[in-house]
Amino acid sequence: MPGFRNFALVAIAFGSVWLFANCGGGGGSPTADGGQNPATISVQRVFSGMPAFSQPVAMLQSPGDDSRWFVLEQAGKVRKFSNVSSASAAADFLDITGRVTSGGETGLLGMAFHPHFPADPRVYISYTQTDSTLGLVSRISEFSSPDAGATLDSGSEQIILTVQQPESNHNGGNIAFGPDGFLYIGFGDGGGGNDQHGTTGNGQLLTTLLGKILRIDIDGPAPYGIPATNPFSGHALCGANGSGPASCPEIFAFGFRNPWRWSFDRQNGELWVGDVGQSAMEEIDRVTRGGNYGWRCFEGTLATGMTCGTTAGFLAPVAAYGRSVGATVIGGYVYRGSAIPALAGRYVFGDFVTGRIFQIASSAQPTVTVSGGLSTGLGISAFAQDRNGELYVVSYSGQLYRISG
């Protein structure tokens, strides 16, 4: 499954978590996380009449439309269904299973609707593929809807950006449009362990797109434009294979290990990233333009001792936790709904391996040490947010849940 540290952990996780993820959400109250006075929450199964999805990794709604949900299945399908409690069937929105390399941490990993969809029929898809020349690559591609948003035409693909992947893990893969209208893209460090590609690791290497959050302008000149305020705008594009001769202009922020799931605060536009750790700590970062978030010099707040270039200017995580709490962070959302007033303005996130859900104040200053959390028994692969700001949980075993008070 995407987003995890290594395949051995995936096997362990499936042995200890996935087997009981079908048991339902579980309730109960979280314990205090870093003295942040958490709200009491629970998770409740929703859309229980739906057949289980196949290894779902994301769930979202299209702009301005709360009548449907879209669920990404890792093997290469985007499924759609009506947003009613009695929903009992899903249909294909897009099927590209024939071109997706899937398994472990590879697959169909992200999707972003154009902000004006369906008036603008473009949708962006993030997936991995085995290229006959480059080997395993991550692709960001544009697809179009030929029928006013009912489906996407699989034959309409226009490849926007390609990144060569030296290993099969740490692909990141989340994509989303920011409040500025630009497309943001997250990639891991290229995989393996300890970011061993290059003398200082890809996370700190500015001539590669690996280990970065990117920002591009899909309305710019083909294949994409670079926002003028990107840290390295003006340099040659790196999107043909993921590297270039100078600092890549696509880079928005760097120093990440595997930014699997992240989101924007719909109220103030802040970017919150869950960065999956190596062997000691998981971290949550509040990301700003040009920021360096430390990997491979730091894992969470711990210095790794690995050669990584200069150690100045790193930005500490907003929150971190160790192996007694969890082992694979799943980034979530700042809650901006109305159903749980005590949760308002708090950032909600989780852990795949332990199935715990955590919350911290969105105003938290580095670094909250996370503990406790709500135990759910779910293999949490992603969170989702509806048009009203309410939050949902995607279980990798195929079921969907809503966070309730």
Side-chain angles (χ1 to χ4, degrees), residues 156-201:
S156 68
E157 181 177 16
Q158 298 291 322
I159 297 172
I160 301 298
L161 183 151
T162 298
V163 176
Q164 190 171 7
Q165 293 285 359
E167 310 281 352
S168 62
N169 57 342
H170 304 181
N171 301 302
N174 197 34
I175 57 175
F177 280 92
D180 53 13
F182 298 128
L183 182 64
Y184 289 70
I185 301 162
F187 287 126
D189 64 9
N194 295 312
D195 195 5
Q196 293 295 319
H197 298 282
T199 58
T200 61

Side-chain angles (χ1 to χ4, degrees), residues 158-315:
Q158 298 291 322
I159 297 172
I160 301 298
L161 183 151
T162 298
V163 176
Q164 190 171 7
Q165 293 285 359
E167 310 281 352
S168 62
N169 57 342
H170 304 181
N171 301 302
N174 197 34
I175 57 175
F177 280 92
D180 53 13
F182 298 128
L183 182 64
Y184 289 70
I185 301 162
F187 287 126
D189 64 9
N194 295 312
D195 195 5
Q196 293 295 319
H197 298 282
T199 58
T200 61
N202 285 325
Q204 295 298 313
L205 183 64
L206 297 177
T207 55
T208 177
L209 302 182
L210 295 169
K212 313 297 189 299
I213 299 292
L214 315 180
R215 182 174 69 164
I216 64 174
D217 181 2
I218 52 84
D219 292 319
Y224 53 82
I226 298 297
T229 54
N230 275 16
F232 310 110
S233 63
H235 294 177
L237 299 182
C238 293
N241 62 11
S243 63
S247 297
C248 296
E250 295 92 341
I251 294 173
F252 180 78
F254 60 103
F256 299 98
R257 184 177 181 276
N258 194 23
W260 164 241
R261 286 292 174 248
W262 43 267
S263 68
F264 292 94
D265 183 340
R266 65 195 303 166
Q267 179 169 295
N268 60 25
E270 288 183 333
L271 174 56
W272 291 77
V273 173
D275 194 16
V276 180
Q278 173 74 35
S279 57
M281 298 193 77
E282 305 298 304
E283 70 180 81
I284 296 293
D285 298 305
R286 194 164 45 215
V287 173
T288 58
R289 177 172 56 90
N292 181 355
Y293 294 86
W295 178 252
R296 70 179 189 179
C297 302
F298 287 86
E299 181 184 355
T301 57
L302 299 177
T304 64
M306 292 184 284
T307 302
C308 58
T310 178
T311 58
F314 296 128
L315 297 176

Side-chain angles (χ1 to χ4, degrees), residues 3 260 274-277 282-284 321 327-331 349-352:
W260 164 241
D275 194 16
V276 180
E282 305 298 304
E283 70 180 81
I284 296 293
Y321 61 89
T328 301
V329 67
I330 305 296
F349 61 105
D351 189 276
F352 172 80

